[in-house]
Amino acid sequence: MRCESFLDRYDRLDADEEPGVLLRLHLAACPECRAKVALLKEASASYLAAVSASDSAGPIGDLVEDRIMVAVRLLPKPKRELHARDWAVSGFVLVASVAIIPFDPNFSLIKELFGTSYSLSLALVLASTLTVFGGVFIATHIDELEPILKRYMPHA
Amino acid sequence: MTERRAEDLRDEDVLDLVLEGDREAFSILVLRHRSRVERLGMGFFHDAEEAADFTQDVFLKAYTALGSFKGRSLFSTWLLRIAYNTAVNAKQRRRESLPLDPDDILPGDIGADETHERGETIRAVRAAMDGLPPRQAVCIELFFGYSLKYAEISEITGFPVNTIKSHVFRAKKLLRERLGIGPEVDDAL
């Protein structure tokens, strides 16, 4: 590998990314590139140090921290939101539970005792439960669902 | 909570404390990340007072949205994304089209005691940022000044990784030239 090509590929590495085998081989064999890489690393590290030093000597300091905490004490306490994945799992369990009810032996027994009027009431209750669950899910995740709706219904 | 214990806690542990109702624990996060947010604000607004208001705004937004933090990225990345979006929206609201002043986003004066490398690095990063729109210039600062990875910068700014890579690549090239360590074409293994 030529030194020019090495430096070109080395410069494309991400922060803290380890160079690949070819780059390491060249680095091991070429003292000039080794020195250049060391200098570049040193320069980047010293830049970071300069920035960090300017951070600690920032013009704003403790005043902002106090202002933030005063405002935080006035705000309602944040609550952990249920993630969409948890909602999906709960919904799946709910639908699966509804789907297996007709296959339950107890259900057949109850159906025999109370007739079809019981089935209709049960179906209405289960359908209402699923509708409420779906409605609450959409209402609480409208921001996350918006891009999906836009993708599949661009004119909506 | 003792100072010692606060230092030992990871950001995620502190988040748990806040979400369990310990409001005061949020001050640990403010203390840890305030200066980075403030620096980003200075880059956009060029004014210490505005940067202070911006920093406060960002942390209060983060506090109210804390429950929606899913832990898919680091808290610092999530916070910087809020900061970046807040800054961009504020600039758009005010319809400002002033280019970013690299003097604000980068460390201050280069003193006589600065090393050659440090001075040249600062100048090179400034040169790479010159002429770029503020939103893109921030990518270079996030790489060199915050030591963030391309993917993290992409997550914060919304720019594709390749766009960020090309800006950073250009900055590194400039840095090599400034340090006098550019590639020598005839050099072969």
Coordinates of all heavy atoms in Angstrom, one line a residue, chain B residues 38-72:
Chain B
E38 N -23.9 24.2 26.5 CA -23.6 25.6 26.5 C -22.7 25.9 25.3 O -22.9 26.9 24.6 CB -22.9 26.0 27.8 CG -22.5 27.4 27.9 CD -21.5 27.6 29.1 OE1 -21.9 27.1 30.2 OE2 -20.5 28.3 28.9
R39 N -21.7 25.0 25.1 CA -20.8 25.3 23.9 C -21.5 25.2 22.6 O -21.2 26.0 21.7 CB -19.6 24.2 24.0 CG -18.6 24.3 22.9 CD -17.2 23.9 23.4 NE -17.2 22.7 24.2 CZ -17.0 21.5 23.6 NH1 -16.8 21.4 22.3 NH2 -16.9 20.4 24.3
L40 N -22.4 24.2 22.5 CA -23.2 24.1 21.3 C -24.0 25.4 21.1 O -24.2 25.9 20.0 CB -24.1 22.9 21.4 CG -24.7 22.4 20.0 CD1 -23.6 21.7 19.2 CD2 -25.9 21.5 20.3
G41 N -24.6 25.9 22.2 CA -25.4 27.1 22.1 C -24.5 28.3 21.7 O -25.0 29.1 20.9
M42 N -23.3 28.4 22.2 CA -22.4 29.5 21.8 C -22.2 29.4 20.3 O -22.1 30.5 19.6 CB -21.1 29.4 22.6 CG -21.2 29.9 24.0 SD -21.6 31.7 24.2 CE -20.0 32.4 23.7
G43 N -22.0 28.2 19.8 CA -21.8 28.1 18.4 C -22.9 28.6 17.5 O -22.7 29.1 16.4
F44 N -24.1 28.5 18.0 CA -25.3 28.9 17.2 C -25.6 30.4 17.5 O -26.0 31.1 16.6 CB -26.5 28.1 17.6 CG -26.6 26.8 16.7 CD1 -26.0 25.6 17.2 CD2 -27.2 26.8 15.5 CE1 -26.1 24.4 16.5 CE2 -27.2 25.6 14.7 CZ -26.7 24.4 15.2
F45 N -25.5 30.8 18.7 CA -26.0 32.2 19.1 C -24.9 33.2 19.3 O -25.2 34.4 19.3 CB -26.9 32.1 20.3 CG -28.0 31.1 20.1 CD1 -28.0 29.9 20.8 CD2 -29.0 31.3 19.2 CE1 -29.0 28.9 20.6 CE2 -30.0 30.4 19.0 CZ -30.0 29.2 19.7
H46 N -23.7 32.8 19.5 CA -22.6 33.8 19.6 C -22.7 34.8 20.8 O -22.2 35.9 20.7 CB -22.3 34.6 18.3 CG -22.6 33.8 17.1 ND1 -21.9 32.8 16.7 CD2 -23.6 34.0 16.1 CE1 -22.4 32.3 15.6 NE2 -23.4 33.0 15.2
D47 N -23.5 34.4 21.8 CA -23.8 35.3 22.9 C -24.0 34.5 24.1 O -24.8 33.6 24.2 CB -25.1 36.1 22.5 CG -25.4 37.1 23.6 OD1 -24.9 38.2 23.6 OD2 -26.3 36.7 24.5
A48 N -23.2 34.9 25.2 CA -23.2 34.1 26.4 C -24.6 34.1 27.1 O -25.0 33.1 27.6 CB -22.1 34.7 27.4
E49 N -25.2 35.2 27.1 CA -26.5 35.3 27.7 C -27.6 34.4 27.0 O -28.3 33.7 27.6 CB -27.0 36.8 27.7 CG -28.1 37.1 28.7 CD -27.8 36.6 30.1 OE1 -26.7 36.9 30.6 OE2 -28.7 36.0 30.7
E50 N -27.5 34.5 25.7 CA -28.4 33.6 24.9 C -28.1 32.2 25.1 O -29.0 31.3 25.1 CB -28.3 34.0 23.4 CG -29.2 35.2 23.0 CD -29.4 35.3 21.5 OE1 -30.1 34.5 21.0 OE2 -28.8 36.2 21.0
A51 N -26.8 31.9 25.1 CA -26.4 30.5 25.3 C -26.8 30.0 26.7 O -27.2 28.8 26.8 CB -24.9 30.4 25.2
A52 N -26.9 30.9 27.7 CA -27.4 30.5 29.0 C -28.9 30.2 29.0 O -29.3 29.1 29.5 CB -27.1 31.6 30.0
D53 N -29.6 31.0 28.3 CA -31.1 30.8 28.2 C -31.3 29.5 27.4 O -32.2 28.7 27.7 CB -31.8 31.9 27.4 CG -31.8 33.2 28.3 OD1 -31.6 33.1 29.5 OD2 -31.9 34.3 27.7
F54 N -30.5 29.3 26.3 CA -30.6 28.1 25.5 C -30.3 26.9 26.3 O -31.1 25.9 26.3 CB -29.6 28.2 24.3 CG -29.3 26.9 23.6 CD1 -30.2 26.4 22.7 CD2 -28.1 26.2 23.9 CE1 -29.9 25.3 22.0 CE2 -27.9 25.1 23.2 CZ -28.8 24.6 22.3
T55 N -29.3 26.9 27.2 CA -28.9 25.8 28.0 C -30.0 25.4 29.0 O -30.4 24.2 29.1 CB -27.6 26.1 28.8 OG1 -26.6 26.5 27.9 CG2 -27.1 24.9 29.6
Q56 N -30.6 26.4 29.5 CA -31.7 26.2 30.5 C -32.9 25.6 29.7 O -33.5 24.6 30.2 CB -32.2 27.5 31.1 CG -33.3 27.4 32.1 CD -33.7 28.7 32.8 OE1 -33.0 29.7 32.6 NE2 -34.7 28.7 33.5
D57 N -33.2 26.1 28.6 CA -34.3 25.6 27.7 C -34.1 24.1 27.4 O -35.0 23.3 27.5 CB -34.4 26.5 26.4 CG -35.7 26.3 25.7 OD1 -36.6 25.8 26.3 OD2 -35.7 26.6 24.5
V58 N -32.9 23.8 27.0 CA -32.6 22.4 26.6 C -32.8 21.5 27.8 O -33.4 20.4 27.7 CB -31.1 22.3 26.0 CG1 -30.7 20.9 25.9 CG2 -31.0 23.0 24.7
F59 N -32.2 21.8 28.9 CA -32.3 20.9 30.1 C -33.8 20.8 30.6 O -34.2 19.7 31.0 CB -31.4 21.4 31.2 CG -30.0 20.9 31.1 CD1 -29.0 21.7 30.6 CD2 -29.7 19.6 31.4 CE1 -27.7 21.2 30.4 CE2 -28.4 19.1 31.2 CZ -27.4 19.9 30.7
L60 N -34.6 21.8 30.5 CA -36.0 21.7 30.9 C -36.7 20.9 29.9 O -37.6 20.1 30.3 CB -36.6 23.1 31.0 CG -36.0 24.0 32.1 CD1 -36.7 25.3 32.3 CD2 -36.0 23.2 33.5
K61 N -36.4 21.0 28.6 CA -37.0 20.1 27.6 C -36.7 18.7 27.9 O -37.5 17.8 27.8 CB -36.6 20.5 26.2 CG -37.4 21.6 25.6 CD -36.9 21.8 24.1 CE -37.7 23.0 23.5 NZ -37.1 23.4 22.3
A62 N -35.4 18.4 28.2 CA -34.9 17.1 28.5 C -35.6 16.5 29.7 O -36.1 15.4 29.7 CB -33.4 17.1 28.7
Y63 N -35.8 17.4 30.7 CA -36.4 16.9 32.0 C -37.9 16.5 31.7 O -38.3 15.4 32.2 CB -36.4 18.1 33.0 CG -37.0 17.7 34.3 CD1 -36.4 16.9 35.2 CD2 -38.3 18.1 34.7 CE1 -37.0 16.5 36.4 CE2 -38.9 17.8 35.9 CZ -38.2 17.0 36.8 OH -38.8 16.6 37.9
T64 N -38.6 17.3 31.0 CA -40.0 17.0 30.7 C -40.2 15.8 29.8 O -41.2 15.1 29.9 CB -40.8 18.2 30.1 OG1 -40.0 18.7 29.0 CG2 -41.0 19.3 31.1
A65 N -39.2 15.5 29.0 CA -39.2 14.4 28.1 C -38.5 13.2 28.6 O -38.4 12.2 27.9 CB -38.7 14.8 26.7
L66 N -38.0 13.2 29.8 CA -37.2 12.2 30.4 C -37.9 10.8 30.3 O -37.2 9.8 30.1 CB -36.9 12.5 31.8 CG -35.4 12.2 32.3 CD1 -34.4 12.9 31.3 CD2 -35.2 12.8 33.7
G67 N -39.2 10.8 30.5 CA -39.9 9.5 30.5 C -39.9 8.8 29.1 O -40.1 7.6 29.0
S68 N -39.7 9.6 28.1 CA -39.7 9.0 26.7 C -38.3 8.6 26.3 O -38.2 8.0 25.2 CB -40.2 10.0 25.7 OG -39.3 11.1 25.6
F69 N -37.3 8.8 27.1 CA -35.9 8.3 26.8 C -35.9 6.8 26.8 O -36.2 6.2 27.9 CB -34.9 8.9 27.8 CG -33.5 8.4 27.5 CD1 -32.8 8.8 26.4 CD2 -32.9 7.6 28.5 CE1 -31.5 8.3 26.2 CE2 -31.6 7.1 28.3 CZ -30.9 7.5 27.1
K70 N -35.6 6.2 25.7 CA -35.7 4.8 25.6 C -34.4 4.0 25.8 O -34.4 2.8 25.8 CB -36.2 4.4 24.2 CG -37.6 4.9 23.9 CD -38.1 4.6 22.5 CE -39.6 5.0 22.3 NZ -39.8 6.4 22.2
G71 N -33.3 4.8 26.0 CA -32.0 4.1 26.2 C -31.4 3.5 25.0 O -30.5 2.7 25.2
R72 N -31.9 3.8 23.8 CA -31.3 3.2 22.6 C -29.9 3.9 22.3 O -29.1 3.3 21.6 CB -32.2 3.4 21.4 CG -33.4 2.5 21.5 CD -34.3 2.6 20.3 NE -35.6 2.0 20.5 CZ -36.7 2.5 20.0 NH1 -36.7 3.6 19.3 NH2 -37.9 1.9 20.2

